[in-house]
Amino acid sequence: MPIGIRFEGNRRDPYRNFNFVVKFGNTEVAACRKMSGLDATVNVVEFRAGNSMHTNVERSPGRVEYQAVTLESGKTNDLAFEEWANMLITNETRTTRPADPGFRRDVTIEVRDVDGTPALKYILYKAWVTKYTAISDLAGDGNDTIIETLEVTHEGFDRLPVQAGGGADEEEAAAE
């Protein structure tokens, strides 16, 4: 294990799900209140040869699919979600689609420990917005926060190392 990487081999309690940050690049965006889970599914390919003496079907791993991630944030003056969503939503006014680097981006999810130090870090690769809800339902007798929702499709995710003490990892340090 690389020096400086935080590893708590004797940790008994699992991490809590209530303290996390969403980043576009190195910039923290929107105070998200909720995020759906990171899911990957390996499809099953079934095959049976015509000359097989057995009646059972053979199974092999097929393509991997990554489910969309939904991010919910309290509506603020931060335009990061809205501007990203509008890159494709307002596409009807353009004659061409934005270049891939424009609407696809890597999104980092950083889970913080109870004391606020980074504990887990995941990156969603080549993510883009598939659904955007600008504001949640409004009610004259309501007492809720207005919520902005973003559904993001991506092409996979990885868990990244987190340095001891919550400092930036090598990838972030190189980007600065």
Side-chain angles (χ1 to χ4, degrees), residues 66 104 124-128 153-157:
Y66 299 96
R104 294 180 194 264
L124 308 179
Y125 296 107
K126 298 182 182 176
W128 53 281
T153 296
H154 58 95
E155 296 183 11
F157 62 88

Side-chain angles (χ1 to χ4, degrees), residues 40-147:
T41 303
V42 179
N43 291 316
V44 176
V45 177
E46 294 185 348
F47 173 79
R48 184 184 175 282
N51 64 352
S52 175
M53 299 302 291
H54 301 286
T55 58
N56 60 315
V57 175
E58 296 177 31
R59 291 183 174 91
S60 300
R63 288 185 268 185
V64 178
E65 293 181 17
Y66 299 96
Q67 284 65 42
V69 174
T70 302
L71 301 167
E72 291 183 5
S73 174
K75 187 73 171 183
T76 66
N77 288 331
D78 183 350
L79 298 176
F81 278 5
E82 187 171 342
E83 289 171 350
W84 187 25
N86 283 333
M87 288 179 145
L88 290 174
I89 292 171
T90 58
N91 194 32
E92 64 201 33
T93 61
R94 293 193 213 61
T95 56
T96 60
R97 183 178 89 172
D100 277 0
F103 72 89
R104 294 180 194 264
R105 58 178 59 166
D106 293 345
V107 177
T108 303
I109 312 299
E110 190 175 276
V111 178
R112 306 266 172 100
D113 210 345
V114 181
D115 63 0
T117 59
L120 301 170
K121 184 185 275 189
Y122 289 87
I123 186 166
L124 308 179
Y125 296 107
K126 298 182 182 176
W128 53 281
V129 179
T130 53
K131 183 178 179 182
Y132 175 63
T133 304
I135 58 173
S136 56
D137 295 341
L138 302 174
D141 61 347
N143 193 28
D144 294 332
T145 301
I146 295 175
I147 301 299

Side-chain angles (χ1 to χ4, degrees), residues 2-8 110 117-121 160-173:
I3 297 175
I5 301 295
R6 188 163 106 179
F7 178 71
E8 296 175 340
E110 190 175 276
T117 59
L120 301 170
K121 184 185 275 189
L160 301 176
V162 177
Q163 279 192 337
D169 62 16
E170 292 175 20
E171 182 180 334
E172 286 181 346

Side-chain angles (χ1 to χ4, degrees), residues 16-22 28-36 71-72 109-113 120:
R16 309 291 172 81
N17 70 345
F18 59 81
N19 199 358
F20 63 99
V21 172
V22 176
E28 185 177 327
V29 294
C32 288
R33 76 171 192 157
K34 192 174 187 181
M35 183 188 113
S36 63
L71 301 167
E72 291 183 5
I109 312 299
E110 190 175 276
V111 178
R112 306 266 172 100
D113 210 345
L120 301 170

